[in-house]
Amino acid sequence: MRNSSTGRVLRRVVTYGFVTLGALASIFPLYYMVVGSLQLHADSAFSGLIPRSGNIGLQNYRDVNKAISLLPSLGNSAIFTLGTVVLTIVIGLPAGYALARLRFPGKPAVAGMLILVLVLPFQVMMIPLYILVVRDYGLADNYIGMILPFAVNATAVLIFRQFFVSLPDELFDAAHIDGAGEVRTLLLVAAPLTKPAILTASVITFIGPWNEFLWPFLITKQHSMQPLAVSLGEYVSTNAATATNPYGVILAGACVLAVPVIALFLIAQRHFTSAALGSGVKE
């Protein structure tokens, strides 16, 4: 009995040890980025991982702000990202409802096309999108041109579809018995329950455009229209080498780019799990 108890304790210690090591390995790049962004003089030695009071400051953040004007770039990133998230929810929610609850010809084909869109990399569609958005619509150096290719997010549609599939049929049957049509059922019955799905889709959608470099780089030639990822990328390729601490400046810009995503995840993570819905159905 004692040996069995000792074995369980050892297995638990080993499991927790592996989990702890995995967590530390995952956090280490973030820690290195923050420490490196605060170093006044680059220190690539192992001892540089420990902050020293004489080599810590905000000069790298001042340098990157002076070079690329962080606030306007952050504003461009916010407009691009929030516009994409809003359109993704507005389009994805009814699309997911239709795929989950409506019957119409070609429904399996539509679902298959969504999977195909997820499989295809964005680079495959980039050239025709560029021709369509820039040449045909004339939306270069325009927020609409940045947002349009990301307005329909197949992942978000599938998230909403799966959420609506998981809802009890009794909720929709009761609405239909009361004479509600599909639009009214969506707005008054289904949509109020989708907070977890909306938050999940929003966070997943937010990460993509916020970190997106290639598409905004292609269609924005004016520096005043470039999101932070593009401004930071151009700075790294052209002017970073002239800074007193090039790596520190680059890491400072990376920290500024990462903070909104981390903050959003920390705020929204407790809402990811949907609340139990069975209590809303009367037997």
Side-chain angles (χ1 to χ4, degrees), residues 18-29 31:
F18 276 115
V19 171
T20 302
L21 287 176
L24 292 175
S26 301
I27 295 173
F28 177 76
Y31 171 80

Side-chain angles (χ1 to χ4, degrees), residues 1-245:
M1 184 71 178
R2 184 175 180 181
N3 291 336
S4 177
S5 177
T6 303
R8 286 198 298 268
V9 171
L10 287 176
R11 285 195 296 270
R12 184 174 300 177
V13 169
V14 171
T15 301
Y16 287 163
F18 276 115
V19 171
T20 302
L21 287 176
L24 292 175
S26 301
I27 295 173
F28 177 76
L30 181 62
Y31 171 80
Y32 181 83
M33 180 175 69
V34 173
V35 172
S37 71
L38 295 173
Q39 289 179 344
L40 300 178
H41 304 284
D43 187 354
S44 58
F46 185 78
S47 59
L49 295 175
I50 301 175
R52 297 198 305 269
S53 59
N55 194 32
I56 293 295
L58 299 176
Q59 185 59 43
N60 294 324
Y61 290 89
R62 298 190 190 98
D63 290 343
V64 72
N65 183 54
K66 182 178 179 181
I68 64 176
S69 299
L70 289 176
L71 284 179
S73 296
L74 282 170
N76 292 334
S77 293
I79 294 173
F80 172 35
T81 304
L82 294 179
T84 301
V85 170
V86 170
L87 283 179
T88 294
I89 301 303
V90 170
I91 296 173
L93 195 150
Y97 178 84
L99 288 174
R101 292 293 169 178
L102 302 185
R103 296 180 180 178
F104 55 89
K107 179 178 175 179
V110 174
M113 289 294 293
L114 285 175
I115 302 298
L116 180 61
V117 170
L118 290 176
V119 172
L120 290 175
F122 178 74
Q123 289 77 5
V124 173
M125 301 177 287
M126 185 174 58
I127 294 177
L129 280 174
Y130 180 85
I131 295 173
L132 182 67
V133 173
V134 176
R135 293 188 180 180
D136 294 348
Y137 295 160
L139 295 176
D141 290 312
N142 190 292
Y143 292 123
I144 298 177
M146 282 192 281
I147 293 171
L148 275 181
F150 301 93
V152 180
N153 189 312
T155 301
V157 174
L158 292 176
I159 288 173
F160 285 116
R161 177 192 175 277
Q162 189 61 34
F163 184 84
F164 287 128
V165 166
S166 67
L167 292 178
D169 293 335
E170 290 84 352
L171 290 173
F172 302 95
D173 293 340
H176 294 152
I177 290 173
D178 289 340
E182 294 296 347
V183 175
R184 190 175 179 185
T185 301
L186 170 62
L187 294 178
L188 300 182
V189 177
L193 300 174
T194 57
K195 182 180 177 181
I198 289 175
L199 287 171
T200 303
S202 297
V203 173
I204 293 175
T205 304
F206 184 95
I207 295 172
W210 183 264
N211 295 321
E212 179 65 28
F213 171 82
L214 186 56
W215 178 252
F217 175 75
L218 287 176
I219 69 168
T220 56
K221 303 306 178 185
Q222 299 178 14
H223 292 288
S224 60
M225 290 293 300
Q226 292 178 340
L228 180 57
V230 178
S231 298
L232 184 61
E234 289 198 348
Y235 173 73
V236 169
S237 63
T238 57
N239 300 318
T242 62
T244 304
N245 183 4

